[in-house]
Amino acid sequence: MRLLVSVRDAAEARAAIAGGVDLLDAKEPTAGALGAVSPAVFAAILAATPAHLAVSVALGEVDDPRGLARTITALPFRAGQGPCY
């Protein structure tokens, strides 16, 4: 069994890592079920996450494909990072 934990910031990410998480899911639940975190918050979550750990990120409701492409491009992915969904 693998443990997925949704986190909204770096502090929650650190707590999930200490608890043995296998996959961190970055999202902002106050923005809806698929609420996106900002690129800055995602960067802070990644900075708190060991490089080998898998991470997923919610991108919000998709109503504009070009806007979605801009959002993905703005995300601060790291070289050598584990899987990112």
Side-chain angles (χ1 to χ4, degrees), residues 31-65:
L34 300 175
V37 296
S38 71
V41 168
F42 189 58
I45 290 169
L46 288 178
T49 304
H52 71 279
L53 196 62
V55 177
S56 67
V57 59
L59 298 174
E61 297 290 334
V62 177
D63 58 358
D64 173 16

Side-chain angles (χ1 to χ4, degrees), residues 2-23:
R2 298 186 58 153
L3 176 63
L4 178 146
V5 177
S6 294
V7 299
R8 64 174 57 167
D9 58 34
E12 289 185 2
R14 286 188 291 274
I17 292 162
V21 69
D22 295 301
L23 172 63

